[in-house]
Every structure is written in C-alpha cells, then in structure tokens.
C-alpha cells in the first residue's frame, strides 16, 4: 500500500545538523501518521518522533525534544526530520515509518506496533 524511501543520513560532528527526508508513495489512507524511529547496534528500536497527517500534531521522545523537528510537505507526500545540536548518543540507523493513527488509542503513537510500513533506514553517525 505504501512505500517509503529515506535519504539524508551521513557523518557529522557533535553540535552539527542533518536533515532526513522520507518520500512516501502508494494509495493514501485516512487519518494516517508518519514517524521516525532509530536503532543503535545491539539496542532495540526506539521512538523518535511522529506527525499526524490531517492536523500536523506531533510528539517527540524526551531525548530529542527541543533539538529535532518533524515536518511534512503534503504536496510531495514527504516527511522531514531536522536534527540540530546532534550528540554522539544520536548515532543510529534512522527509520521512517507510516501507519494508521486510528491505532494510537490501542497501541500508542510511540509504539512501533502502530506503524505498518517502514523505510530501509539511513545511517546517522555523530562524532566526538
């Protein structure tokens, strides 16, 4: 139903910035959300941020609040993750995800179980 293609990862020094992009294709569905998760080697995948498409409401993990910003471009079916003031602990593979926000009441907006479609992942490495 939905295919996700990510880009924008790379190597950056601590304090620097990166912007990730995720372009979605396929049939639209009502009340859907797109979000970002990340996974470091040997660690479980963790929630970063999400945005509900119809009203633009957002949620952020405490670890990134104030530093990361999620945004969307409706015409391009693209979601962005602007990452500022990057820290070494932000190093991970970042995954774009999409799902039906109607399931938030069941599994929660921050759970990977609320998202049905996943991108291939893009590596973000923060030095120092």
């Amino acid at each position: 139903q939905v295919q996700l293609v990510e880009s924008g990862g790379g190597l950056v020094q601590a304090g620097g910035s990166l912007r990730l992009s995720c372009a979605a294709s396929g049939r639209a569905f009502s009340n859907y959300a797109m979000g970002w998760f990340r996974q470091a080697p040997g660690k479980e995948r963790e929630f970063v941020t999400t945005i509900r498409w119809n009203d633009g409401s957002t949620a952020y993990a405490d670890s990134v609040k104030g530093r990361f910003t999620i945004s969307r471009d409706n015409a391009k079916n693209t979601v962005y993750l602007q990452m500022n003031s990057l820290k070494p602990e932000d190093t991970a593979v970042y995954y774009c995800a999409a799902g039906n926000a109607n399931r938030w009441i069941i599994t929660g907006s921050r759970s990977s179980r609320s998202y049905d479609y996943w991108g291939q992942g893009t590596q973000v490495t923060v030095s120092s």
Side-chain angles (χ1 to χ4, degrees):
Q1 186 83 353
V2 176
Q3 297 81 46
L4 305 175
V5 180
E6 300 155 334
S7 62
L11 175 64
V12 65
Q13 63 180 327
S17 298
L18 284 173
R19 190 179 76 158
L20 308 183
S21 300
C22 177
S25 61
R27 289 194 170 191
F29 51 93
S30 62
N31 196 29
Y32 86 106
M34 294 182 66
W36 293 91
F37 291 73
R38 66 187 183 185
Q39 188 168 23
K43 304 294 181 63
E44 68 179 19
R45 189 169 298 186
E46 67 172 341
F47 169 81
V48 177
T49 182
T50 190
I51 184 167
R52 192 161 57 193
W53 215 257
N54 60 357
D55 62 2
S57 63
T58 60
Y60 293 90
D62 289 341
S63 59
V64 306
K65 189 173 295 184
R67 299 187 298 119
F68 291 10
T69 303
I70 189 170
S71 62
R72 74 199 194 282
D73 185 328
N74 290 353
K76 296 181 178 180
N77 270 349
T78 298
V79 66
Y80 304 95
L81 180 63
Q82 179 66 46
M83 304 184 293
N84 298 327
S85 301
L86 282 162
K87 304 174 180 180
E89 50 262 47
D90 295 318
T91 296
V93 177
Y94 283 70
Y95 295 91
C96 179
N100 192 332
N102 289 336
R103 300 216 306 274
W104 285 5
I105 195 169
I106 301 171
T107 55
S109 64
R110 299 167 180 248
S111 172
S112 62
R113 296 169 59 195
S114 293
Y115 300 86
D116 298 311
Y117 307 98
W118 296 84
Q120 78 285 355
T122 185
Q123 177 71 47
V124 172
T125 302
V126 184
S127 63
S128 298

